[in-house]
Amino acid sequence: MQTLISVILPVFLIIGFGYMAAWRGLFSQQNVDGLMRYATTFAVPVLLFRAISNLDLAAEYNLSLLGSFYGAAFLCFLAGMLGAKYLFGRDWEDATAIGFVCLFSNSLLLGLAIMERAYGPDSLTGNYAIISIHAPFCYGLGIATMEIMRARHSSKTKIVPTVLKAMFSNALIIGIGLGFVVNLGNIPMPEPAMHAVNLLASSALPAALFGMGGVLYRYRPEGDMRVILFCCAVSLGLHPTLTFAFGTLSAISADNMRSAIVTASMAPGINAYLFANMYGRAMRVAASTVLIGTALSVLTVWLWLGTLP
């Protein structure tokens, strides 16, 4: 219970504050959109830039850690897509969007915040390693699959350019990429520039969590409840369970196991809705799963934290 109070509730109280502010009309949807644009286009990419530029790549890019998390994520994508197709009778385009909902954990806004609260700032290196390829992996897999499904009725030559354009126009990927350039090139950063980076990065998580509350108010659950609960079960239950199993088989360290499980146990993030909205597929399922999954994760994350060393 102490973990629930001291670690999880502060994060969700910020989300709830944003939700209440939007509900009561104290923070308009235009304000929410502006805040989320600031967080996801500027502050969070700068946070990732700082993390990747300072990351010890040789020490932290552990193949067992990444394999445990992303092997489980890939299987959850398949489970979501095939379940949507064969259990719920959705077409392949809808099924791909639903698979993406099951794939994309809120590794950044919730995962970093909860990991930092639970284990301290020095525990985040494994999370940053996972996050550094999270958007490229998830968007690459989701877009490639969706374009393949759509190419049943059009030209297959458009698949690769579409995937590359979508990935490399993403601000998060640009921030990560610049971090790799500075890290691998051993490029020194001037002290005033690093102070500016630190100031901007320090605002990323609080702003994003508050804005996320406003976004969740906008997407209230409507219909498709069986599919939504299926997505929540895959995201909150199957993903961390598979990650734990793979991590145990790979004998990853306790620190890496914490990073992998905490990240895998996060509810689907706003990007799950953005992907569905980009293609106009399963938007109601995506939005409602983000909202309901985030609420359920108050309990499920607490349970998963209780199993970790």
Side-chain angles (χ1 to χ4, degrees):
M1 184 60 69
Q2 181 63 30
T3 302
L4 179 65
I5 295 172
S6 64
V7 175
I8 300 173
L9 282 187
V11 173
F12 285 97
L13 282 174
I14 297 175
I15 296 173
F17 188 30
Y19 189 100
M20 290 290 291
W23 174 41
R24 301 306 300 169
L26 301 175
F27 207 66
S28 72
Q29 287 303 317
Q30 290 81 5
N31 296 149
V32 171
D33 290 339
L35 181 60
M36 287 302 290
R37 182 172 178 80
Y38 163 76
T40 59
T41 306
F42 301 103
V44 172
V46 168
L47 172 68
L48 293 178
F49 165 80
R50 183 183 67 176
I52 300 301
S53 64
N54 294 317
L55 198 63
D56 185 344
L57 298 177
E60 300 305 334
Y61 269 75
N62 183 305
L63 290 180
S64 296
L65 164 66
L66 297 177
S68 298
F69 179 84
Y70 284 107
F74 177 73
L75 290 178
C76 288
F77 174 75
L78 289 180
M81 184 171 67
L82 296 177
K85 174 65 176 177
Y86 294 110
L87 293 179
F88 303 107
R90 310 297 282 255
D91 63 27
W92 279 116
E93 286 85 351
D94 266 20
T96 301
I98 291 168
F100 192 88
V101 172
C102 297
L103 167 70
F104 206 104
S105 304
N106 197 337
S107 59
L108 194 60
L109 307 187
L110 287 182
L112 284 183
I114 289 176
M115 188 72 182
E116 183 175 12
R117 292 286 306 170
Y119 301 108
D122 294 337
S123 69
L124 297 177
T125 52
N127 292 63
Y128 285 129
I130 292 171
I131 289 168
S132 69
I133 61 172
H134 193 233
F137 175 86
C138 294
Y139 272 104
L141 177 60
I143 293 170
T145 305
M146 182 67 83
E147 292 301 326
I148 288 170
M149 295 305 175
R150 296 175 74 189
R152 303 193 319 271
H153 314 298
S154 61
S155 171
K156 295 179 175 59
T157 60
K158 297 180 180 179
I159 294 173
V160 173
T162 300
V163 172
L164 293 177
K165 180 180 178 182
M167 288 177 61
F168 290 102
S169 61
N170 186 298
L172 300 179
I173 295 176
I174 292 171
I176 290 167
L178 291 175
F180 276 118
V181 169
V182 170
N183 190 312
L184 295 174
N186 199 25
I187 300 172
M189 290 287 292
E191 187 174 347
M194 280 310 302
H195 281 310
V197 165
N198 290 334
L199 285 171
L200 198 56
S202 66
S203 70
L205 293 179
L209 290 171
F210 184 90
M212 184 180 171
V215 171
L216 291 178
Y217 171 71
R218 180 187 304 170
Y219 301 125
R220 294 176 287 279
E222 296 177 328
D224 291 321
M225 191 55 65
R226 290 194 307 149
V227 185
I228 293 165
L229 293 177
F230 170 76
C231 291
C232 290
V234 173
S235 181
L236 302 178
L238 183 61
H239 192 180
T241 299
L242 289 175
T243 301
F244 181 81
F246 293 157
T248 301
L249 290 173
S250 303
I252 63 177
S253 68
D255 288 342
N256 282 338
M257 181 68 87
R258 290 171 181 167
S259 292
I261 294 297
V262 169
T263 307
S265 65
M266 294 300 107
I270 296 300
N271 279 289
Y273 173 78
L274 297 179
F275 181 87
N277 185 64
M278 183 167 65
Y279 287 104
R281 291 287 185 163
M283 291 183 290
R284 182 166 57 188
V285 171
S288 296
T289 301
V290 171
L291 177 59
I292 294 173
T294 300
L296 291 176
S297 67
V298 175
L299 176 61
T300 59
V301 170
W302 175 49
L303 295 174
W304 280 111
L305 285 176
T307 69
L308 295 174

